[in-house]
């Protein structure tokens, strides 16, 4: 432990003997470091929070599936686009009017590096501008930091207001040109198809669509006809069965030479109407059947009160007449369906025969029709898109397509965000002192001297008989005190310069505030 203490004392002594070197090196390092710090311009930051909400009244197929990350990237790219930043540079005075291309590129590049956009939520963004222009004062840099954000938000809002309408006009112009091209191609295909049909009259069956399409449509309709025909034939068979079991005439009491009473005639008519309803398939629970049965019961009661006078006679059965009319109607339906089935079968056979006999003509006609169908589908789709774009443009003209709301206005910076000059000034002072001490200690190691007899004995390996103590005269003592005061003055001046720089820094910050 004593050895370590002795080594420390020797190190301190070697530094103390070179104290002027320590002071000189410290002054040199501090002056250079403080000049370097002074050359760094203060950076002022301004922040703002922006709400960007898309007011999408009409559905937009082009933005279907548009993810949140893509939306954030698009807004960020729009905010920091070169065109917008160039407008900001001109508005804030960073770029004089009539500047060259190189100056414009430099101003835009500087703004792109100084502006940062951080998404906080789905449609809320925090925008930060960091300005450190060496040719401007701190007050001007602080003012410019907030001015850049004000100008950027204004330019972005105006650009979105005009951009939606310009995009709608450009979209309509593009769609109009595409529609004109498709219309021209469609007319050309129509002309070729008409000429082909005229050259091959009799070989191409008349009708819309290609032969294959007409055969497919005929087969589909034939399947439906078969189903309907089976149902119609079943209904006709059921009607024939009911008609066979229904008598043509019925025996009506009181109906003879005298002609019967009025009540009995009404009763016969009501019974005939009830039979017709049941023939149509109405059940006893049907409201009309229930009402009619009630009416029949009332008429029967009246007929019984009039007595059973008159002779009985035969009258035509109304139910038989209704069934006969129904059978005629269903026979007509079966005949019509059978005729349509025969016609479709003949058409399929004729078209198939023509395709077999003239495969080249049929294939060419199918190709022309396919081309026409594809062009017609594209043409109709473009017309629909044009109408959507037109409506969307009208909506954007009447309303704001994108709503831009300033949640927090740009802050007015009162102190620089960087560099931290007090910390840097202190660090340079400590580095200067440490550098001076290090140089002195290193020089002591190179130019070896022996402060004690023991150190000389260990270094030489020879015994040291004794040592002579230095005798300081009064004049020498006064001279040493004077040099010590000069050393203290130099060190105090260094610390005073450091304090002066700190005071100047805080005064400068107060002037900005």
């Amino acid at each position: 432990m004593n050895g370590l203490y002795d080594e420390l004392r020797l190190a301190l002594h070697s530094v103390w003997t070179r104290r002027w070197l320590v002071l000189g090196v410290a002054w040199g390092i501090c002056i250079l470091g403080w000049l370097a710090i002074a050359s760094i311009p203060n950076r002022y930051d301004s922040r703002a929070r922006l709400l960007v909400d898309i007011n999408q009244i009409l559905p937009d197929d082009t933005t279907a599936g548009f993810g949140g990350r893509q939306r954030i990237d698009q807004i960020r790219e729009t905010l920091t686009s070169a065109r917008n930043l160039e407008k900001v540079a001109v508005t804030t005075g960073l770029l004089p009017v009539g500047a060259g291309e190189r100056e414009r590129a430099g101003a835009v590049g500087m703004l792109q590096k100084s502006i940062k956009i951080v998404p906080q939520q789905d449609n809320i963004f925090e925008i930060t501008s960091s300005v450190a222009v060496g040719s401007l004062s701190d007050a001007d840099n602080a003012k410019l930091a907030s001015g850049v954000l004000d100008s950027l938000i204004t330019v972005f809002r105006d650009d979105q207001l005009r951009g939606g309408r310009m995009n709608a006009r450009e979209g309509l112009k593009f769609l109009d040109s595409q529609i004109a091209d498709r219309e021209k191609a469609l007319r050309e295909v129509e002309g070729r198809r008409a000429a082909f049909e005229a050259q091959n009259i009799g070989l191409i069956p008349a009708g819309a669509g290609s032969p294959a399409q007409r055969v497919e449509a005929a087969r589909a309709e034939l399947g439906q006809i078969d189903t309907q025909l089976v149902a119609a034939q079943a209904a006709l068979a059921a009607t024939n069965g009911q008609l066979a079991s229904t008598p043509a005439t019925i025996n009506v009491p009181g109906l003879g030479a005298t002609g019967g009473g009025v009540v009995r005639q009404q009763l016969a008519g009501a019974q005939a109407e009830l039979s017709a309803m049941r023939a149509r398939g109405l059940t006893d629970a049907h409201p009309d059947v229930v009402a009619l049965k009630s009416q029949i019961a009332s008429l029967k009661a009246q007929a019984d009160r009039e007595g059973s006078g008159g002779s009985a006679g035969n009258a035509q059965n109304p139910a038989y007449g209704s069934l006969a009319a129904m059978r005629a109607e269903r026979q007509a339906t079966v005949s019509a369906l059978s005729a349509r089935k025969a016609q479709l079968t003949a058409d399929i056979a004729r078209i198939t025969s023509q395709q077999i006999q003239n495969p080249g003509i049929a294939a060419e006609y199918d190709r022309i029709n396919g081309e026409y169908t594809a062009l017609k589908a594209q043409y109709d789709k473009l017309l629909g898109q044009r109408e959507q774009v037109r409506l969307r443009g009208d909506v954007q003209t009447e309303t704001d397509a994108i709503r831009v709301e300033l949640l927090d206005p740009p802050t007015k910076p009162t102190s620089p965000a960087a560099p931290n000059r007090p910390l840097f000034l202190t660090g340079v002072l400590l580095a200067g002192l440490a550098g001076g001490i290090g140089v002195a200690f290193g020089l002591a190691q190179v130019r070896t001297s022996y402060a004690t007899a023991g150190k000389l004995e260990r270094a030489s390996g020879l015994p040291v008989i004794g040592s002579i103590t230095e005798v300081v005269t009064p004049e020498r003592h006064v001279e040493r005190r004077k040099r010590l005061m000069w050393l203290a003055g130099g060190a105090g001046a260094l610390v005073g310069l450091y304090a002066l720089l700190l005071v100047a820094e805080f005064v400068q910050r107060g002037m900005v505030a």
Side-chain angles (χ1 to χ4, degrees), residues 80-88 108 155 159 166:
T80 58
S81 63
R83 183 180 62 181
N84 288 350
L85 293 182
E86 186 174 337
K87 293 179 182 178
V88 171
V108 169
V155 169
D159 183 70
M166 291 180 62

Side-chain angles (χ1 to χ4, degrees), residues 60-364:
D60 190 357
D61 295 337
T62 59
T63 59
F66 191 63
R69 184 64 183 176
Q70 292 176 331
R71 179 180 176 183
I72 291 172
D73 293 340
Q74 185 189 38
I75 293 176
R76 182 187 291 113
E77 292 175 1
T78 303
L79 275 168
T80 58
S81 63
R83 183 180 62 181
N84 288 350
L85 293 182
E86 186 174 337
K87 293 179 182 178
V88 171
V90 173
T91 304
T92 55
L94 285 175
L95 190 64
V97 180
E101 191 67 26
R102 179 176 297 180
E103 294 178 351
R104 292 176 182 272
V108 169
M110 187 271 289
L111 288 176
Q112 285 178 340
K113 294 179 180 178
S114 63
I115 295 176
K116 295 181 180 179
I117 301 174
V118 179
Q120 294 185 337
Q121 296 178 8
D122 291 339
N123 52 357
I124 297 178
F125 301 87
E126 183 185 53
I127 310 175
T128 304
S129 66
S130 302
V131 177
V133 181
S135 59
L136 300 178
S137 64
D138 287 349
D140 292 337
N141 279 327
K143 183 178 179 181
L144 182 60
S146 60
V148 165
L149 288 187
D150 284 330
S151 180
L152 180 64
I153 294 171
T154 302
V155 169
F156 175 70
R157 183 178 295 167
D158 295 341
D159 183 70
Q160 292 301 321
L161 181 62
R162 293 191 300 267
R165 300 170 184 174
M166 291 180 62
N167 290 337
R169 288 196 295 268
E170 292 176 358
L172 284 176
K173 184 178 179 181
F174 173 76
L175 288 175
D176 286 338
S177 64
Q178 293 295 315
I179 289 172
D181 294 341
R182 296 299 187 280
E183 186 176 1
K184 181 179 178 181
L186 197 59
R187 289 178 179 177
E188 181 183 353
V189 174
E190 286 178 347
R192 286 196 286 115
R193 187 174 67 174
F196 188 82
E197 290 176 350
Q199 293 175 1
N200 298 275
I201 296 176
L203 300 178
I204 299 177
S210 64
Q213 292 174 343
R214 288 198 292 273
V215 168
E216 186 66 25
R219 287 175 178 169
E221 186 179 357
L222 185 60
Q224 296 177 358
I225 293 295
D226 287 336
T227 303
Q228 296 174 4
L229 184 58
V230 170
Q233 289 174 345
L236 179 59
T239 304
N240 288 334
Q242 291 179 0
L243 190 62
S245 61
T246 303
T249 59
I250 58 175
N251 187 11
V252 180
L255 183 61
T258 59
V262 176
V263 175
R264 295 186 182 278
Q265 292 178 359
Q266 294 177 352
L267 177 60
Q271 289 175 344
E273 186 176 357
L274 179 61
S275 299
M277 287 183 178
R278 287 175 174 172
R280 291 200 305 269
L282 300 181
T283 63
D284 292 339
H286 195 276
D288 294 339
V289 176
V290 173
L292 189 57
K293 290 174 68 176
S294 176
Q295 183 181 359
I296 290 173
S298 177
L299 290 173
K300 282 183 179 181
Q302 293 180 16
D304 291 339
R305 286 195 299 271
E306 290 179 358
S308 58
S311 58
N314 292 331
Q316 185 178 3
N317 189 355
Y320 185 86
S322 298
L323 290 173
M326 189 180 300
R327 182 181 64 177
E329 180 182 353
R330 291 181 177 177
Q331 283 178 344
T333 301
V334 171
S335 299
L337 292 173
S338 299
R340 181 57 180 165
K341 178 179 179 181
Q343 181 183 358
L344 290 173
T345 305
D347 289 343
I348 293 173
R350 185 177 64 257
I351 296 173
T352 305
S353 176
Q354 290 175 352
Q355 286 182 322
I356 294 174
Q357 294 175 2
N358 303 283
I361 293 177
E364 180 65 18

